[in-house]
Amino acid sequence: MRIEDREEMQDYTNYWFARKETCIMQNAGEKSKCIYFIISGEVHIMNKSGILKYGTLSEGSYFGDLSVMSNEPNEFAYYIDPYANKANEFLKIDGDVFTKVLNQFPLSKSIFEMRATNRSNIFHSYKTIAILKIMKCARRMSLKMIRNNGLRLL
């Protein structure tokens, strides 16, 4: 990226510090309005209720792009831990501005689209693994309860 382009991008980005009372960065089922680039801290990729964790994004990662580029609601929720030892700091760019800039640079746009597709596939595999772990745990608990209560499976 040329120096002029970088300077122009600085006009579009905002520094954002997540306060202790902040927990949900973006909700599942809602369209993203911004893309966040993580400067420090971690963001947890979770289900809508915030119970199942599918993965963690850390410094250098970004999120919000999947929803902005597809113009679809988020499939996942993005949470921060308000009690983490490390501060959560972000660069935030408006989704419309992000799209406008990408449209000016087709090669960058195709790279972001490819990365978004790859990350979406990874998130879906995390989701599948998390669900399988829960099912396995529930089965073990059921078998344990059956043994403890002297019941027999038919």
Side-chain angles (χ1 to χ4, degrees):
M1 192 179 269
R2 298 175 313 176
I3 292 174
E4 299 86 25
D5 297 329
R6 275 189 250 157
E7 288 172 354
E8 186 177 344
M9 280 299 285
Q10 288 175 350
D11 294 337
Y12 298 126
T13 58
N14 297 311
Y15 172 80
W16 194 75
F17 178 78
R19 303 198 189 294
K20 288 289 183 194
E21 58 273 3
T22 305
C23 193
I24 302 173
M25 294 290 297
Q26 292 184 347
N27 279 317
E30 295 178 7
K31 287 185 183 179
S32 295
K33 294 182 177 103
C34 299
I35 290 85
Y36 293 88
F37 294 87
I38 304 169
I39 296 171
S40 69
E42 293 183 335
V43 175
H44 305 282
I45 306 157
M46 304 182 86
N47 68 333
K48 189 173 188 169
S49 62
I51 295 172
L52 298 177
K53 180 178 168 186
Y54 302 134
T56 303
L57 300 173
S58 58
E59 297 167 6
S61 299
Y62 53 93
F63 61 98
D65 58 313
L66 297 173
S67 176
V68 168
M69 289 193 298
S70 68
N71 200 26
E72 297 283 328
N74 282 311
E75 194 171 338
F76 306 98
Y78 298 89
Y79 287 78
I80 61 167
D81 179 359
Y83 304 105
N85 293 331
K86 198 170 192 180
N88 292 290
E89 300 173 283
F90 305 91
L91 279 181
K92 179 172 106 171
I93 184 169
D94 180 77
D96 292 335
V97 172
F98 181 76
T99 302
K100 179 182 169 189
V101 171
L102 284 184
N103 287 335
Q104 292 175 3
F105 301 95
L107 180 58
S108 295
K109 182 178 181 177
S110 66
I111 290 170
F112 266 98
E113 287 172 341
M114 180 185 66
R115 287 180 178 170
T117 301
N118 289 343
R119 284 189 306 129
S120 179
N121 292 338
I122 289 169
F123 296 166
H124 281 284
S125 66
Y126 286 153
K127 186 177 181 178
T128 302
I129 290 168
I131 291 169
L132 289 173
K133 284 181 180 178
I134 289 169
M135 290 171 60
K136 188 175 181 180
C137 182
R139 184 173 187 269
R140 263 188 269 143
M141 289 173 64
S142 295
L143 290 173
K144 194 175 197 178
M145 286 173 57
I146 289 169
R147 273 188 241 120
N148 289 343
N149 293 324
L151 302 173
R152 295 176 56 197
L153 292 174
L154 298 176

